[in-house]
Amino acid sequence: MSQTDQSLAGGVCDLESGVCALPGDSAALPGATAGHPVPEVGLTRITYVTDPICSACWILEPAWRSLTERYRDLIDVRHVYGGLLRGWQGFHDAGNGIRRPEDVAHHWDEFAQISGQPINSSVWWSDPIDSSYPPSIALAAVRRLAPEHEEAYLRRLREELFLDGRNIAAPGLLEALVAELGLDVASYRRLIENGEAEAEFERDLVRTHELGARGFPTLILEGPDGRVVLHGWIQPDRLENTFLTVSGAARRPVVSSIGEAADRLGTGTSLEYAALTGHSVTEVEELLTRAGATSRPVGKGRAWSPKQRNRR
């Protein structure tokens, strides 16, 4: 086992800071960005240090989706997977009372209550995730195979975990989601089996250290007008204002049409739809119901699946 692997035994999430941190470290540090230069032609690069099982990253989704849907043409996103949970052997977070997988369920329920973003925590009781490395390696494989689909694949993993309570470390599920995106499963499997995907993920682990990012989510925004590092889950207004500051872009309106919002988001929580449209959760649920969208309960919230339209 490499020195890097030994240092990434597991991670914990703090309710006050909204950061899922790697063990033995404080929250992310605003270190220099290594490797990639600032994009040209006025684009703002956002380096998003994350992990597919990071609950704080899931809570960031309303702000993240609102920003990326409205300013997509002005943003260059690079995901870096930092390895939140290598495994449970020897893991113990005394501060949060987490020693076993089922302890995470209570922690996620608290996160959902505080944030309003619903979480299905049942996976920690029914089919606990042993490690976040398998889905991270799968994401690295998709990046190598079809980088334009990487973000969509990450979103589907998060939906399966946080909305449906499924174990996203299961190889069969990882392959099924690759097929769902219309990608070549045989090519994906080769990247997994020949070690190329794992090597790509290991480069992300190194990059995480180079960036000084010791907690998730960490967002490093680099644009024509500056550079800012954000840590933890934040409100949509703060993320948008920070982006506008570093990009120099003009503020864009929210998506006023619930039909357009449905075309953009597809499956989403009430809070995600509210962030994109500027409506309250109550208002957006009424609008989605009138538009014929179906919903299901997730924890104390709801997830929506709109009627099929001309989805992008």
Side-chain angles (χ1 to χ4, degrees):
M1 183 183 300
S2 68
Q3 183 177 357
T4 299
D5 285 340
Q6 290 173 359
S7 68
L8 300 177
V12 298
C13 301
D14 180 74
L15 293 171
E16 293 185 4
S17 67
V19 174
C20 291
L22 290 167
D25 292 278
S26 59
L29 302 174
T33 54
H36 300 296
V38 175
E40 299 179 357
V41 201
L43 288 180
T44 293
R45 169 162 296 157
I46 302 181
T47 302
Y48 186 176
V49 188
T50 185
D51 186 276
I53 74 166
C54 166
S55 55
C57 301
W58 173 249
I59 291 170
L60 182 67
E61 284 288 276
W64 178 251
R65 299 187 86 189
S66 178
L67 180 76
T68 54
E69 285 297 331
R70 291 160 59 212
Y71 298 96
R72 172 65 65 183
D73 58 314
L74 302 180
I75 299 173
D76 173 40
V77 177
R78 300 293 177 94
H79 288 91
V80 179
Y81 306 108
L84 182 60
L85 179 67
R86 181 171 63 83
W88 283 98
Q89 185 175 2
F91 178 78
H92 180 210
D93 171 25
N96 287 302
I98 298 175
R99 183 187 296 272
R100 303 165 300 174
E102 53 264 36
D103 296 329
V104 180
H106 302 298
H107 202 56
W108 279 17
D109 291 342
E110 290 181 90
F111 253 52
Q113 182 176 358
I114 290 173
S115 67
Q117 174 78 330
I119 296 177
N120 181 343
S121 60
S122 64
V123 67
W124 298 109
W125 296 101
S126 62
D127 188 14
I129 299 169
D130 291 329
S131 171
S132 68
Y133 279 33
S136 298
I137 293 170
L139 281 157
V142 170
R143 178 192 296 163
R144 294 291 300 272
L145 183 63
E148 69 276 13
H149 291 288
E150 180 184 357
E151 190 164 358
Y153 189 65
L154 175 58
R155 173 64 191 191
R156 284 296 293 118
L157 288 175
R158 286 181 167 148
E159 289 174 356
E160 291 289 323
L161 174 59
F162 293 105
L163 296 181
D164 297 327
R166 301 186 70 186
N167 185 337
I168 60 170
L173 176 58
L174 293 171
E175 283 197 4
L177 295 178
V178 169
E180 180 185 291
L181 291 177
L183 305 181
D184 186 337
V185 174
S187 296
Y188 161 84
R189 192 177 296 142
R190 279 195 297 273
L191 289 168
I192 297 294
E193 294 175 350
N194 67 17
E196 290 186 42
E198 185 173 2
E200 178 79 9
F201 171 53
E202 288 175 351
R203 285 189 285 271
D204 273 19
L205 297 180
V206 172
R207 178 111 172 105
T208 298
H209 285 275
E210 291 175 343
L211 292 169
R214 305 303 302 153
F216 315 128
T218 290
L219 299 173
I220 304 171
L221 293 83
E222 300 171 282
D225 289 353
R227 175 183 182 275
V228 175
V229 181
L230 298 174
H231 315 301
W233 64 276
I234 55 180
Q235 295 299 321
D237 287 349
R238 183 184 174 198
L239 180 57
E240 182 181 10
N241 289 337
T242 301
F243 165 75
L244 296 176
T245 297
V246 302
S247 68
R251 188 181 303 275
R252 293 179 176 177
V254 294
V255 177
S256 58
S257 164
I258 198 67
E260 182 182 350
D263 287 344
R264 287 172 177 258
L265 292 185
T267 298
T269 68
S270 300
L271 201 62
E272 290 169 353
Y273 271 96
L276 182 61
T277 62
H279 293 294
S280 69
V281 166
T282 300
E283 290 170 340
V284 86
E285 289 181 344
E286 292 175 353
L287 290 169
L288 284 165
T289 299
R290 288 205 295 266
T294 59
S295 70
R296 66 186 189 277
V298 178
K300 295 184 179 180
R302 303 198 74 80
W304 295 84
S305 299
K307 291 177 64 177
Q308 292 297 313
R309 290 161 52 93
N310 295 322
R311 294 282 305 281
R312 296 191 309 170

